[in-house]
Amino acid sequence: MASSAAAKSPITIRLCGPRGFCAGVDRAIQIVVLALKEFGAPVYVRHEIVHNRYVVEGLEAKGAIFVEELDEIPPEHRKQPVVFSAHGVPKSVPADADERNLFYLDATCPLVSKVHKQAMRHHRLGRHVVLIGHAGHPEVIGTMGQLPEGAVSLVETVEDADVYVPPDPDNLGFVTQTTLSVDDTAGVIKRLHERFPNLTAPAADSICYATTNRQEAVKQAAPGCDLFLIVGAPNSSNSKRLVEVALRAGAKKSALVQRASEIDWEAIGDISTVGLSAGASAPEVIVNEIIEAFRERYEARVELADTVEENENFLVNRELRHVELTAADMAFVNGE
């Protein structure tokens, strides 16, 4: 053992800050945890509360049951709470819950709700809404579902913007998914403005502060990195964008991993500097797990690559504010 320890190569891990949970994700997980404390198991959750399997499994272990649709909730559990995910839901979902006499707690991120309101404002003022986002993403489905069918057009890329034919070119307003690449989205908006000069922007930037901050931290840390690892799920939009940002900003290689066990140690090769960040739905315990995995194999020194400090905090639902939330309640994601 002593000889293998002596043979460890030195590496530097550039640990990005901010990283991991944003205020909206933290709030959504807290809502499920607090609902379990207040009402007991089971608490139902429609769709993944956030895009992270580790988080979902941790909540399942506490008594949460994840369903795709409300009709999966058995009649005997109709009085138990059902939580709507942080990504937001179409208006038809709470309407369906009301019809079924279900008690629901909406964990939609307040910044996603803000995009919903901006889209509704465009519509109220007679504008056709252009939503820049990824088809099929739950947030996009939720935003489009705030307005009548046909009131929103989805544009994903600059190429889409090139061929988009609106119902009225002079009455357009746009909003964006909150988790997009800042640079990519700027290109799409620029092209839409070139084609439709009267295009109206939302009252405030739709891409959320957490997405912007994590991308900026990765941009700063990426130059000179032999490898840049992003902790996150393959269906997490903001995590996948961070991989792209790292490559564009100068990292030689970048990869998305859900756990340390997914790292291909054989393929890493000769490295001296590793960047490490986490998407907004990735828990800190996995970041720590990956650092420890590197320390087992390398003489690893952690260098903090902080850009800004985040201190946003979103209140949970009124029904849960009296319930005490302890560090132990959240240790499964935050660590001890």
Side-chain angles (χ1 to χ4, degrees), residues 114-144:
K114 186 177 81 172
V115 174
H116 291 177
K117 287 171 187 156
Q118 291 168 343
M120 289 188 280
R121 182 173 184 275
H122 282 318
H123 182 68
R124 191 173 68 249
L125 294 171
R127 300 173 192 138
H128 183 81
V129 179
V130 178
L131 170 60
I132 302 166
H134 297 300
H137 190 281
E139 185 185 325
V140 165
I141 293 167
T143 301
M144 294 184 82

Side-chain angles (χ1 to χ4, degrees), residues 12-157:
T12 298
I13 298 174
R14 284 184 193 159
L15 182 60
C16 287
R19 64 181 176 275
F21 284 176
C22 61
V25 164
D26 207 27
R27 172 181 179 269
I29 296 166
Q30 287 178 20
I31 287 169
V32 180
V33 170
L34 291 170
L36 283 162
K37 288 185 81 168
E38 176 70 357
F39 303 104
V43 166
Y44 287 86
V45 185
R46 184 185 176 277
H47 289 335
E48 288 187 333
I49 186 70
V50 296
H51 281 155
N52 190 275
R53 193 68 224 155
Y54 180 94
V55 172
V56 167
E57 288 171 0
L59 291 171
E60 283 175 334
K62 289 177 176 286
I65 296 175
F66 289 81
V67 295
E68 285 305 302
E69 297 301 342
L70 300 181
D71 60 10
E72 295 172 48
I73 299 172
E76 63 270 23
H77 288 160
R78 288 283 164 88
K79 298 220 180 300
Q80 289 298 105
V82 57
V83 181
F84 301 153
S85 84
H87 307 105
V89 294
K91 280 186 172 176
S92 58
V93 173
D96 184 24
D98 287 335
E99 207 170 288
R100 295 172 187 276
N101 284 324
L102 296 175
F103 166 44
Y104 64 86
L105 296 163
D106 191 353
T108 300
C109 171
L111 299 179
V112 173
S113 296
K114 186 177 81 172
V115 174
H116 291 177
K117 287 171 187 156
Q118 291 168 343
M120 289 188 280
R121 182 173 184 275
H122 282 318
H123 182 68
R124 191 173 68 249
L125 294 171
R127 300 173 192 138
H128 183 81
V129 179
V130 178
L131 170 60
I132 302 166
H134 297 300
H137 190 281
E139 185 185 325
V140 165
I141 293 167
T143 301
M144 294 184 82
Q146 302 306 304
L147 295 174
E149 196 168 338
V152 185
S153 297
L154 181 65
V155 171
E156 295 194 63
T157 62

Side-chain angles (χ1 to χ4, degrees), residues 111-112 115 132 139 176-180 206-209 211-212:
L111 299 179
V112 173
V115 174
I132 302 166
E139 185 185 325
T176 78
Q177 186 179 327
T178 62
T179 54
L180 300 178
S206 298
I207 296 178
C208 81
Y209 77 91
T211 299
T212 305

Side-chain angles (χ1 to χ4, degrees), residues 11-19 217-218 220-222 225 228 273-277 284 287-288 291 295 300-308:
I11 64 163
T12 298
I13 298 174
R14 284 184 193 159
L15 182 60
C16 287
R19 64 181 176 275
V218 167
Q220 298 290 328
C225 284
F228 212 112
T273 306
V274 176
L276 180 60
S277 187
E284 186 67 5
V287 174
N288 295 335
I291 291 171
R295 282 181 168 149
R301 179 177 71 90
V302 175
E303 174 184 287
L304 296 180
D306 293 339
T307 50
V308 297

